[in-house]
Amino acid sequence: MTTALNTQFGIEGQLSFREDASGLVVAEIDNTSGRASLCLQGAHLMSWQPKSQAVPVVWLSRDTKPVAGKSIRGGAPVCWPWFGAHATEAGFPGHGFARTVPWQVIESGTEPNGATRLTLRLVASDKTRVQWPHDCSVDLTVIVGETLRMEMTTNNTGTDDVVIGEALHTYFQIGDIGQVRVTGLEGCDYWDKVGGSNLRTQQGAISFSGETDRVYINSAAECVIHDDKLKRRIHVAKFGSLSTVVWTPWEEKANKMGDMGQPDGWREMVCVESANAIENVVKIAAGTRHTLIVEYRAESV
Ligand code: TA6
């Protein structure tokens, strides 16, 4: 399978496809300005490191690996066509099914600045229609270089309007969760999911001293992760997204999850997710499309 992919979509010296020990296919991108890996199952970007950074910017648990039908811990999981628990079906997968089913490669290329572009598509199938009976496809385009851009486009090819929840649920690599602040969401309302679901308003920068699980709503703001230990800032810009999710499981929940990279991998990640969730879910009229875009940039300070 990888021979055909490399023939059709491989780019000499930039993009190749390999079969993982799990039998899943992984795209490896390595160009003059950045490197990344992406599992075709779930169109799941697993890692990204600009050549200017000594440490990866996107975090991947050392306790995770691609397994057919299972989500990978870390990287940038694609949450679609719902975010969080399904509204009515407790047995449906959290964050939707997109991240655990095969996607198809549909295009690859090199950007004018030398960045590598790869697009994958998930089309409706009998399996997906069981959980979501709509004729929609979703494309994910990743553009890997000194910055990382991801564009997630839902195309409603059906005859009914649909409503989706979605997120690029990105795990960022940091030096230590206790030495990190997130700015950009000052004054925004958020649903605090720790200990229930309470609506609050952000006062000042976000810092971390325990489990934090917040869905900031009605905000298109760019966020910045200030990492005092690694002495860098990560800029998280977004378009077509009105929710931002900020999450760290902290120690007790991380230990229960068991795949966060023992003993303290949880200290080296923070999620800043660009989403449309809760009151920001998106209605896509029949025959139209909607795109959520993120662009990440890291700078040493
Ligand atoms: O985005 C934060 C969150 O919804 C948390 O509540 C936690 O469940 C996290 O996602 C991880 O979810 P996952 O299904 O990937 O284990």
Side-chain angles (χ1 to χ4, degrees), residues 141 156 225 247 254 261 277 279:
T141 294
N156 183 356
I225 302 169
W247 176 60
E279 45 261 79

Side-chain angles (χ1 to χ4, degrees), residues 31-36 47-58 144-148 232 296-299:
N31 59 46
T32 54
S33 52
R35 65 158 53 100
S47 64
W48 169 57
Q49 182 171 355
K51 296 289 172 75
S52 65
Q53 292 294 316
V55 176
V57 178
V58 171
V144 175
E146 182 59 28
T147 62
L148 174 65
R232 74 180 178 188
Y296 306 144
R297 175 172 62 87
E299 59 171 342

Side-chain angles (χ1 to χ4, degrees), residues 141-293:
T141 294
V142 298
I143 300 175
V144 175
E146 182 59 28
T147 62
L148 174 65
R149 182 179 176 96
M150 292 191 282
E151 304 176 359
M152 177 159 66
T153 298
T154 298
N155 191 358
N156 183 356
T157 53
T159 55
D160 303 320
D161 298 351
V162 298
V163 174
I164 66 166
E166 60 182 348
L168 290 170
H169 188 303
T170 306
Y171 293 69
F172 290 97
Q173 177 108 29
I174 53 173
D176 183 87
I177 191 67
Q179 301 179 54
V180 156
R181 288 170 301 116
V182 175
T183 60
L185 293 166
E186 295 82 355
C188 289
D189 291 341
Y190 65 91
W191 289 102
D192 183 350
K193 293 165 59 183
V194 176
S197 187
N198 297 293
L199 189 60
R200 306 186 198 284
T201 302
Q202 182 60 38
Q203 306 297 327
I206 305 166
S207 57
F208 305 92
S209 57
E211 181 185 357
T212 305
D213 192 350
R214 303 176 182 177
V215 181
Y216 290 83
I217 55 173
N218 305 324
S219 168
E222 172 173 333
C223 292
V224 180
I225 302 169
H226 301 259
D227 185 336
D228 293 343
K229 185 170 183 182
L230 291 183
K231 295 181 173 40
R232 74 180 178 188
R233 284 193 285 259
I234 301 172
H235 297 260
V236 181
K238 64 174 191 173
F239 312 89
S241 158
L242 286 179
S243 311
T244 297
V245 184
V246 177
W247 176 60
T248 171
W250 215 255
E251 183 169 21
E252 183 182 353
K253 185 158 187 179
N255 289 338
K256 283 181 187 161
M257 292 165 67
D259 60 359
M260 290 296 291
Q262 298 304 327
D264 58 2
W266 61 274
R267 297 200 66 94
E268 298 165 353
M269 54 67 61
V270 65
C271 279
V272 178
E273 310 158 33
S274 302
N276 287 300
I278 310 179
E279 45 261 79
N280 296 137
V281 294
V282 178
K283 178 179 174 181
I284 307 175
T288 69
R289 62 180 59 194
H290 155 79
T291 299
L292 182 158
I293 298 172

